[in-house]
Amino acid sequence: SGARFDLQPQARVNLSAATTLQMDGEIHAAGGSVSLAVTRGGTDFQFPQRLELGAGAVIDVAGTTVLQASTSGQRTNQIRSR
């Protein structure tokens, strides 16, 4: 198992590596976005380049309800999604 990141609603996560990116943990960002990328390092193509998701990896960007009080004291809500 790896690290667990519980981020604020609508958070954005960008992870990149020049040769290998291995993701074994969990990223939770309700209504947010997650980007995983393996990029070319410099001008030379590097071998091997790979993106690996472990068997227990979780990328969760499901929407969520955000409750807020209006200026008149009434509760309002928003559904946040991608």
Side-chain angles (χ1 to χ4, degrees):
S1 73
R4 178 181 172 117
F5 296 94
D6 290 307
L7 304 171
Q8 296 293 322
Q10 296 186 312
R12 292 182 182 170
V13 177
N14 297 305
L15 301 174
S16 64
T19 56
T20 301
L21 179 57
Q22 183 174 4
M23 181 15 202
D24 287 325
E26 298 182 25
I27 300 173
H28 300 270
S33 66
V34 175
S35 172
L36 305 176
V38 178
T39 59
R40 195 167 50 166
T43 57
D44 296 328
F45 186 74
Q46 309 251 339
F47 288 101
Q49 287 185 309
R50 64 181 187 262
L51 172 62
E52 296 180 11
L53 297 178
V58 174
I59 300 172
D60 179 9
V61 293
T64 187
T65 300
V66 178
L67 300 174
Q68 297 175 330
S70 69
T71 55
S72 63
Q74 293 180 332
R75 248 179 22 175
T76 62
N77 65 9
Q78 285 184 322
I79 299 195
R80 300 219 171 139
S81 62
R82 265 185 90 174

